[in-house]
Amino acid sequence: MRATVNHSTSDALARLASVIESRLPARGGDPEKSYVARLLHKGPDAFLKKIGEEATEVVMAAKDADHGGDRSKIVNEVADLWFHTMVALAHYGFSPADVTAELERREGTSGIEEKALRKVQARESEASND
C-alpha cells in the first residue's frame, strides 16, 4: 500500500507544478477555462481558504479511518491538500523542488532540534529588528 518516493513521484509533482504555473495570471491563465486560473484570479484569500478546508478534510478522513472508515479517503484528501498548496507555492514563486530542498536540508536533524533552532533564529531576528 505504501508507495516509495522515486523519480516518477518527483516528475509527477514537477509536471503538475508546470501545469499550475501555466495557469498563473501573468502567463495568461483564463479563469473561464481553468479552475487554477479562477482560484488565482480570486486572489490569495481564495486559495488559502481552500488549503484550510482541505487540511480539515485530511483530519476528518484520518479520524474516520480510525473508526473503521475508508482509509483511502486520507490519500484523496491529502492529494487535494497538496494540489491547493502547490497553487499557493506557484503564486508565491516557489515549486515542489523548493520544498524538497528544505526537507533535504532538515534530513538527519531531529524535529525537536529543528524546532529549537527556529525559535533561536526568530529571537535573533526580533532582536535585530529592534
Side-chain angles (χ1 to χ4, degrees), residues 9-125:
T9 303
S10 301
D11 293 345
L13 290 174
R15 287 191 305 273
L16 178 56
S18 179
V19 170
I20 290 169
E21 288 172 17
S22 75
R23 305 300 199 265
L24 290 168
R27 301 242 177 115
D30 184 352
E32 296 297 319
K33 296 180 181 176
S34 163
Y35 170 74
V36 171
R38 186 176 314 136
L39 202 54
L40 289 165
H41 180 75
K42 291 179 181 178
D45 284 349
F47 60 77
L48 295 174
K49 179 180 177 185
K50 285 300 294 180
I51 291 170
E53 290 171 3
E54 298 302 343
T56 299
E57 290 174 11
V58 169
V59 171
M60 291 170 30
K63 291 189 84 49
D64 286 348
D66 283 341
H67 298 295
D70 182 358
R71 294 170 52 91
S72 67
K73 287 184 179 180
I74 297 170
V75 172
N76 294 333
E77 296 302 342
V78 169
D80 292 344
L81 176 60
W82 283 16
F83 173 81
H84 288 91
T85 302
M86 288 175 65
V87 170
L89 285 171
H91 173 80
Y92 293 109
F94 296 105
S95 73
D98 296 307
V99 177
T100 302
E102 175 60 15
L103 291 171
E104 288 172 348
R105 184 191 68 76
R106 295 178 186 187
E107 192 172 359
T109 303
S110 84
I112 295 169
E113 291 171 359
E114 179 67 25
K115 188 173 181 179
L117 178 60
R118 284 195 302 254
K119 284 183 180 180
V120 168
Q121 290 171 336
R123 279 192 295 257
E124 289 173 353
S125 177

Side-chain angles (χ1 to χ4, degrees), residues 122-130:
R123 279 192 295 257
E124 289 173 353
S125 177
E126 288 173 9
S128 68
N129 290 334
D130 289 341

